[in-house]
């Protein structure tokens, strides 16, 4: 994980490639205090590699997983598996994830990327500073039983501090906790629509209309209920609030 963050920190410095004519692809440049730093051409090479890892990072270390699963369950509960379409659903999840992760990303930029661009800290120190806010967010959303599970599977003893938890343990623990939370919220979201389906089915059965699909009758009532209670605002607000740690 730390290596991924190091690669992502190279995004903005790589934009200065045009200012380095004739730069070689693999080159170490002498920095102040007899240090060494990566050349911009090498930064671009690493940046291209980092771009391939961005989707995995968005799924594994942000709020995206919980949000997109809850929205998919909501769509299924209403009874419209293709509406909203996948592109709209992923777009909603992506931009709500940006909203939720905004403070974390700002802290990553202020503590890691900005000082590195200003040349006040080295790359390793910038990566460590950028990792802290993300680690704090993930630990705040991770259940202790999940953390203990993967720590035991890795053969590690109890960690003295949260900072001692390695990313190889924290990432699967965080994703497992996110899946549990997403399905819990999805279950609560499903119940009102399930009640409507049961009521409509009972009414149709009592009227002897067994050949008429209950889904055909219940769908307009579920849509009307969802619109009347301002369902999109409720579900988006609930998802955003579910990441609050205090």
């Amino acid at each position: 994980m730390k290596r991924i963050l190091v690669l992502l920190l190279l995004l903005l410095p790589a934009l200065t490639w045009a200012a380095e004519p004739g730069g070689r692809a693999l080159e170490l440049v002498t920095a102040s205090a007899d240090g060494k730093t990566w050349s911009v051409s090498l930064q671009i090479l690493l940046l291209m590699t980092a771009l391939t890892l961005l989707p995995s990072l968005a799924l594994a270390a942000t709020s995206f997983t919980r949000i997109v699963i809850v929205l998919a369950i909501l769509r299924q509960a209403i009874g419209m598996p293709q509406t909203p379409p996948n592109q709209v659903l992923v777009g909603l999840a992506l931009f709500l994830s940006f909203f939720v992760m905004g403070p974390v990303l700002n802290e990553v930029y202020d503590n890691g990327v900005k000082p590195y661009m200003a040349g006040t800290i080295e790359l390793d120190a910038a990566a460590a500073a950028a990792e802290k806010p993300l680690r704090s967010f993930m630990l705040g959303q991770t259940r202790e039983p999940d953390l203990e599970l993967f720590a035991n599977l890795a053969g590690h003893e109890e960690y003295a501090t949260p900072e001692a938890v390695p990313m190889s343990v924290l990432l699967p623990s965080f994703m497992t906790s996110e899946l549990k939370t997403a399905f819990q919220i999805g279950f609560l979201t499903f119940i009102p629509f399930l009640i409507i389906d049961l009521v409509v089915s009972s009414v149709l059965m009592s009227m002897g209309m067994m050949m008429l699909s209950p889904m055909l009758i219940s769908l307009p009532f579920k849509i009307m209920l969802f619109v009347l209670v301002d369902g999109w605002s409720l579900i988006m607000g609930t998802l955003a609030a579910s990441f609050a740690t205090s």
Side-chain angles (χ1 to χ4, degrees):
M1 183 62 190
K2 186 174 181 179
R3 293 179 180 178
I4 296 176
L5 291 173
V6 170
L7 295 174
L8 293 178
L9 288 172
L10 300 173
L11 175 59
L12 291 177
L15 296 178
T16 61
W17 163 249
E20 187 186 10
R24 290 175 294 191
L26 299 176
E27 183 179 10
L28 282 176
V29 180
T30 303
S32 59
D34 297 329
K36 297 289 184 180
T37 184
W38 301 109
S39 67
V40 177
S41 53
L42 182 57
Q43 291 179 13
I44 290 180
L45 177 64
L46 296 175
L47 172 63
M48 295 300 102
T49 304
L51 290 177
T52 64
L53 301 175
L54 281 176
S56 299
L57 182 63
L59 288 174
T62 68
S63 58
F64 181 84
T65 300
R66 181 190 305 185
I67 295 171
V68 76
I69 289 177
V70 171
L71 292 178
I73 293 176
L74 171 65
R75 183 175 65 176
Q76 191 70 31
I78 294 176
M80 298 184 296
Q82 301 300 325
T83 306
N86 291 331
Q87 294 87 340
V88 175
L89 215 63
V90 172
L92 283 173
L94 183 62
F95 285 105
L96 185 57
S97 298
F98 279 131
F99 174 80
V100 171
M101 300 295 297
V104 178
L105 296 178
N106 289 336
E107 195 172 350
V108 168
Y109 178 80
D110 292 337
N111 296 344
V113 179
K114 189 175 181 180
Y116 173 71
M117 292 176 59
T120 57
I121 60 175
E122 296 296 330
L123 184 60
D124 291 342
E131 183 181 327
K132 288 181 180 179
L134 189 61
R135 172 185 290 272
S136 177
F137 169 80
M138 295 171 66
L139 284 170
Q141 305 299 325
T142 304
R143 293 177 170 85
E144 289 186 10
D146 296 327
L147 200 58
E148 293 175 359
L149 170 64
F150 286 97
N152 293 332
L153 291 175
H156 297 166
E157 300 293 335
E158 184 177 353
Y159 303 109
T161 61
E163 290 75 16
V165 180
M167 277 294 183
S168 59
V169 173
L170 181 56
L171 275 173
S173 303
F174 171 75
M175 292 198 69
T176 303
S177 294
E178 286 294 281
L179 289 172
K180 289 181 180 179
T181 304
F183 275 88
Q184 288 175 352
I185 298 175
F187 170 76
L188 296 176
T189 304
F190 213 107
I191 290 178
F193 302 105
L194 180 60
I195 293 175
I196 294 177
D197 285 334
L198 291 174
V199 171
V200 171
S201 297
S202 300
V203 171
L204 291 178
M205 288 287 291
S206 63
M207 297 175 63
M209 304 175 66
M210 300 179 184
M211 301 301 295
L212 183 61
S213 173
M215 292 295 297
L216 185 64
I217 305 300
S218 63
L219 181 58
F221 289 100
K222 290 190 286 187
I223 295 176
M224 180 181 64
L225 172 66
F226 193 68
V227 171
L228 288 177
V229 300
D230 199 8
W232 286 114
S233 296
L234 286 175
I235 199 69
M236 300 295 273
T238 299
L239 283 172
S242 68
F243 290 95
T245 56
S246 60

